[in-house]
């Protein structure tokens, strides 16, 4: 049985304009999130879209640190608590555009 997250991976999502000059985007790049979720946060075969995800900053921060099955391992985020807060707020705000 295919889970909801697996179904969502690679799905076409509405594109939003990403502020690549934002501090949150720089943290996104530095921590390698861009490698799986892409430069426009739209995801692909390796990871789901982060745009319009409807997750709170706290939920995003938890996933960044602790991972989420099936494809996001724990321990990938290597930044500070302040960077984690900026990253999770940046991603959460993508849902509101």
């Amino acid at each position: 049985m295919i889970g909801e997250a697996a179904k969502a991976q690679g799905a076409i999502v509405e594109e939003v304009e990403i502020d690549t000059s934002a501090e949150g985007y720089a943290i996104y790049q530095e921590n390698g999130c861009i490698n799986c979720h892409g430069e426009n946060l739209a995801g692909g075969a390796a990871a789901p879209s982060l745009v319009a995800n409807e997750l709170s900053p706290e939920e995003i921060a938890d996933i960044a640190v602790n991972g989420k099955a099936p494809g996001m391992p724990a321990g990938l985020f290597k930044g500070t608590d302040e960077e984690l807060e900026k990253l999770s707020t940046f991603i959460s705000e993508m849902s509101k555009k």
Side-chain angles (χ1 to χ4, degrees):
M1 183 169 175
I2 297 175
E4 291 303 311
K7 288 179 188 176
Q9 288 182 353
I12 296 173
V13 295
E14 182 179 338
E15 281 195 38
V16 297
E17 189 171 325
I18 306 297
D19 182 2
T20 58
S21 66
E23 190 173 7
Y25 189 81
I27 296 165
Y28 174 83
Q29 288 179 303
E30 291 163 6
N31 278 275
C33 310
I34 196 168
N35 295 331
C36 295
H37 295 283
E39 65 183 31
N40 60 1
L41 287 78
S49 173
L50 299 178
V51 176
N53 63 56
E54 300 183 12
L55 297 173
S56 70
E58 295 78 17
E59 291 169 314
I60 293 167
D62 180 64
I63 293 168
V65 172
N66 298 312
K68 183 174 181 179
M72 173 98 180
L76 292 180
F77 183 81
K78 302 295 185 198
T80 66
D81 288 345
E82 181 180 352
E83 290 172 327
L84 180 61
E85 182 177 339
K86 289 177 183 179
L87 173 68
S88 60
T89 299
F90 171 76
I91 293 171
S92 177
E93 289 173 354
M94 293 297 102
S95 316
K96 299 175 181 146
K97 291 190 177 196

